[in-house]
Amino acid sequence: MRASQFLIATVKETPADAEVISHQLMLRAGLIRKLASGLYTWLPMGLKTLRKVEKIIREELDASGAQELLMPAIQPAELWQESGRWEQYGPELLRLKDRHQRDFCVGPTHEEVITDLVRNQLKSYKQLPANFYQIQTKFRDEIRPRFGVMRSREFVMKDGYSFHINQESLQKTYDDYFNAYVRIFDRLNLDYRPVIADNGSIGGTGSHEFHVLAASGEDDIAFSDSSDYAANVEMAEAVAPKAAPDAPTEEMRLVDTPNAKTIAALVEQHNLPIEKTIKTLMVKASDEVDSDIVALLVRGDHELNEIKAEKQPEVASPLTMATEEEIRDIVGASPGSLGPVNLPMPIVIDRAVACSSDFGAGANIDGKHYFGINWERDLPTPRVADLRNVQVGDPSPDGKGTLNIRRGIEVGHIFQLGLKYSEAMNATVLDENGKAVPMTMGCYGIGVTRVVAAAIEQNHDENGIIWPESLAPFTVALVPLNYDKSDDVKALSDKLYSELKAKGVDVLLDDRKERPGVKFADMELTGIPHRLVISDRGIAAGQLEYKGRRDAEASDLPLDNAVAALISKLGQ
RNA sequence: CGGAGUAUAGCGCAGCCUGGUAGCGCAUCUGCUUUGGGAGCAGAGGGUCGUAGGUUCGAAUCCUACUACUCCGACCA
């Protein structure tokens, strides 16, 4: 490609509304332009990269046995009513009516459409497993789009769906997808981790997210320092610090704590170690228990994990904190003086609380706490559960090493759906006995547009993007100086350009009538991995200047062997 | 959804408080010079000041409504 015939829409100034580096660089390098909140045009330079991501995904999925198809972006409401999600999905689902006043939505995902297709096409267990994917534009009306294409409303997603006669078959395809994702993200040169993820309300039996590690990520990932254990903090198991509490050494006593309404104040004013304090959180109860609210106890230095809390049978879903009035009605004290002693409601305690001894907690009397509380001696041990977020330094749940926590950008998610959609939508096949059975399903997503942003978060410097070759819009930039004035420079540049093109190298010839500084800055900003400078000076010396995008200094290639020497540098 | 803020040329901003008919930098166009790190000089073009209404002799400026966009929040005992 000649730069004079290609839109190079670089800008010097950083756009005011771009927060994260990838968003800033995608705008500055001329990859995207905003149309409206959460809606972006992909300019030619950005689309080249997007297509390279798609190509890698296609190659690996095709090799793993998935078949590509393409479904409509607009979907009829009937299918969503069948699955129950027309009511469940909420305002993120963009709904619209056609000229006949029939209801439709713009697809945020395609479980309903693929399930409808498969139930109509596949009738026998002999046709399973079936495994389809598409790369297609989705729309989710996000509460708050941000970070450019990282969280946009319209985005390109690879979504795959598989159908099986049993769990064993699903597990095999699930593993195939897992391995294909590993190959895809390896080829994309991303620093990523597959992590154990929440199954969400869908249930099912297994789920992994693939996270690119980056400070701007919106999820916390916990991973072991000495094994490959990694999990979303939402899911990471917090193991008990020890098997049982120590024997009591203190008497339980009622202490006046008029100014200690928070754990921090309690610790500061009463010389209590924070790990000897207990937080009592009150949430709405489910129908399972004979109470309006339930108490959840975590240690003062720990945080409640809302996902784990919501899974407790005593707790109403979605998790809702009790109001101050509700607490006062039942307990007769304010938040800030709550604790397990004499508490008239069901209690669930975290594992770390269960092995605490001589601890302090509210007395359920305003301005008073009990200190020196011990389970069994002072009150029965309530039901124990894993309720808290893991923290840095916690032991890894697999028993190997301790946990670190870093931010991650979710770029992929694989999910065992089980029978959720096939039962709701009556998607069955006949088994060996001629009996209709619902198909077991899996679904598998990659945020294609988000991958581009995530890659920039990991690969940039003060001069711009640093593309790995697998993602670069162009592999090589030819930068001639005085292309329009020097016949020698022009002849050599054109010759190199056609030779590299003939070898299949994706090359950009910067034949623009610009000063050298402009060309250098643009080639660096847009992140092209290899650069050759063609100048009269170099020609006279019999050399071409080469610089890799990550190199500190340029080096020289012999002129008579330049193409071969350059090609030997590619793919390293 | 709750809170805060912004809206003036393609981009980044000043002007608004204290009303008098719009300006700066970059970008664009023309000419000359320059040509290995986002050039210099000279000139030019480009704005219904987000939209609608109000106050006023007069509104970018004051008032009202609306719209769009941005940021913060939705872990607290």
Side-chain angles (χ1 to χ4, degrees):
Chain A
M1 184 62 66
R2 286 174 178 266
S4 58
Q5 288 159 38
F6 190 84
L7 179 62
I8 295 179
T10 53
V11 289
K12 262 195 276 192
E13 286 181 273
T14 301
D17 55 0
E19 282 280 303
V20 297
I21 191 72
S22 61
H23 188 196
Q24 293 172 0
L25 287 175
M26 288 183 81
L27 290 167
R28 283 194 55 210
L31 272 48
I32 56 169
R33 284 292 180 268
K34 184 170 79 170
L35 176 65
S37 177
L39 302 176
Y40 290 88
T41 295
W42 285 79
L43 301 179
M45 188 75 82
L47 190 62
K48 292 258 304 175
T49 293
L50 191 66
R51 293 284 183 247
K52 291 199 173 184
V53 177
E54 293 178 355
K55 180 166 181 284
I56 290 172
I57 292 172
R58 279 201 175 88
E59 286 173 2
E60 293 299 336
L61 290 186
D62 290 348
S64 82
Q67 302 176 67
E68 184 171 5
L69 49 61
L70 184 59
M71 292 180 269
I74 305 294
Q75 307 180 9
E78 285 76 15
L79 288 179
W80 286 73
Q81 286 157 353
E82 235 187 296
S83 73
R85 290 208 289 185
W86 187 257
E87 287 74 30
Q88 283 170 19
Y89 214 89
E92 217 171 277
L93 184 66
L94 180 64
R95 298 153 209 254
L96 47 103
K97 287 184 191 292
D98 70 2
R99 61 166 67 192
H100 306 293
Q101 298 303 305
R102 288 187 286 242
D103 286 314
F104 288 85
C105 64
V106 185
T109 177
H110 278 67
E111 281 85 4
E112 281 81 359
V113 178
I114 192 78
T115 304
D116 179 64
L117 178 83
V118 167
R119 72 180 168 183
N120 291 330
Q121 293 304 312
L122 304 184
K123 299 296 180 187
S124 162
Y125 74 96
K126 293 177 186 172
Q127 294 171 293
L128 300 183
N131 178 1
F132 302 101
Y133 77 94
Q134 64 173 344
I135 295 177
Q136 192 244 18
T137 299
K138 300 282 187 269
F139 189 91
R140 294 180 186 176
D141 203 354
E142 293 281 349
I143 297 177
R144 191 177 154 206
R146 62 186 122 178
F147 305 156
V149 298
M150 199 99 85
R151 182 170 293 281
S152 54
R153 295 195 292 175
E154 188 175 304
F155 59 99
V156 177
M157 177 171 167
K158 186 286 297 173
D159 48 324
Y161 307 91
S162 68
F163 295 82
H164 309 270
I165 189 65
N166 57 29
Q167 170 65 28
E168 183 188 1
S169 169
L170 168 62
Q171 186 65 48
K172 185 185 176 307
T173 298
Y174 184 88
D175 292 342
D176 288 345
Y177 263 103
F178 187 101
N179 294 326
Y181 276 31
V182 166
R183 288 193 295 274
I184 288 165
F185 293 121
D186 282 347
R187 284 182 63 184
L188 293 170
N189 277 292
L190 295 169
D191 180 16
Y192 71 97
R193 297 280 189 289
V195 310
I196 300 165
D198 180 28
N199 287 357
S201 49
I202 297 176
T205 40
S207 172
H208 285 83
E209 291 168 352
F210 287 74
H211 279 264
V212 167
L213 300 178
S216 58
E218 296 187 276
D219 289 285
D220 283 313
I221 307 305
F223 55 98
S224 166
D225 60 5
S226 42
S227 75
D228 59 3
Y229 177 86
N232 196 305
V233 163
E234 290 175 348
M235 279 296 286
E237 185 185 354
V239 299
K242 51 191 169 187
D246 293 336
T249 63
E250 299 174 18
E251 289 306 306
M252 184 169 88
R253 57 200 186 278
L254 192 59
V255 179
D256 283 328
T257 54
N259 302 315
K261 299 224 186 306
T262 63
I263 293 289
L266 193 67
V267 166
E268 189 180 332
Q269 295 166 21
H270 298 275
N271 194 27
L272 203 60
I274 191 164
E275 62 277 6
K276 288 286 183 190
T277 63
I278 302 293
K279 282 197 283 206
T280 304
L281 297 103
M282 301 211 167
V283 301
K284 297 264 167 59
S286 71
D287 299 337
E288 301 276 309
V289 293
D290 186 22
S291 170
D292 290 336
I293 55 182
V294 170
L296 304 176
L297 271 58
V298 297
R299 237 166 56 182
D301 56 331
H302 290 157
E303 280 180 354
L304 182 71
N305 178 309
E306 297 191 4
I307 305 265
K308 293 175 181 176
E310 195 173 304
K311 286 180 180 165
Q312 304 307 316
E314 297 90 340
V315 174
S317 181
L319 186 77
T320 313
M321 290 321 228
T323 64
E324 190 156 347
E325 294 74 48
E326 289 169 319
I327 293 171
R328 183 155 280 284
D329 280 352
I330 296 184
V331 183
S334 296
S337 300
L338 301 178
V341 181
N342 300 323
L343 191 62
M345 66 179 69
I347 302 175
V348 183
I349 65 173
D350 182 63
R351 291 165 172 173
V353 173
C355 54
S356 292
S357 58
D358 298 329
F359 59 86
N364 303 320
I365 303 166
D366 279 341
K368 291 182 189 299
H369 280 73
Y370 282 113
F371 288 0
I373 309 171
N374 285 277
W375 299 115
E376 296 305 325
R377 187 194 68 184
D378 303 320
L379 72 169
T381 309
R383 196 171 77 76
V384 180
D386 177 15
L387 291 179
R388 70 175 176 95
N389 283 335
V390 294
Q391 295 180 333
V392 173
D394 279 350
S396 176
D398 66 355
K400 296 170 191 158
T402 59
L403 292 178
N404 262 316
I405 296 179
R406 281 178 65 183
R407 301 290 278 178
I409 301 166
E410 182 187 344
V411 291
H413 196 168
I414 58 177
F415 211 106
Q416 299 190 20
L417 289 170
L419 304 176
K420 177 181 162 76
Y421 293 94
S422 49
E423 280 184 339
M425 298 179 66
N426 198 28
T428 62
V429 289
L430 297 179
D431 68 9
E432 299 111 305
N433 305 313
K435 192 173 142 243
V437 293
M439 288 177 274
T440 300
M441 289 175 60
C443 71
Y444 317 91
I446 291 179
V448 182
T449 38
R450 185 181 281 180
V451 161
V452 177
I456 294 171
E457 288 289 324
Q458 284 191 340
N459 298 286
H460 62 85
D461 64 12
E462 66 280 5
N463 293 321
I465 301 167
I466 306 177
W467 286 120
E469 272 182 39
S470 57
L471 289 177
F474 298 96
T475 310
V476 174
L478 295 178
V479 181
L481 307 182
N482 281 319
Y483 182 82
D484 57 323
K485 296 251 176 70
S486 164
D487 291 339
D488 290 346
V489 167
K490 182 172 193 306
L492 178 58
S493 301
D494 290 348
K495 176 167 165 285
L496 288 169
Y497 177 59
S498 35
E499 282 181 21
L500 287 167
K501 269 212 307 190
K503 299 265 187 197
V505 177
D506 207 349
V507 56
L508 179 69
L509 171 62
D510 195 348
D511 58 346
R512 293 177 300 168
K513 203 175 163 184
E514 289 287 354
R515 297 166 57 84
V518 174
K519 295 185 180 186
F520 293 148
D522 278 349
M523 294 306 107
E524 280 163 6
L525 179 58
T526 51
I528 300 175
H530 304 278
R531 183 184 83 189
L532 277 184
V533 179
I534 300 103
S535 66
D536 284 318
R537 202 169 78 190
I539 292 171
Q543 292 187 317
L544 280 179
E545 179 192 297
Y546 166 84
K547 186 170 179 295
R549 180 64 179 80
R550 287 184 190 276
D551 297 345
E553 299 292 336
S555 56
D556 288 322
L557 299 182
L559 195 53
D560 50 6
N561 192 27
V563 169
L566 176 65
I567 285 175
S568 75
K569 289 179 178 291
L570 305 186
Q572 288 179 0

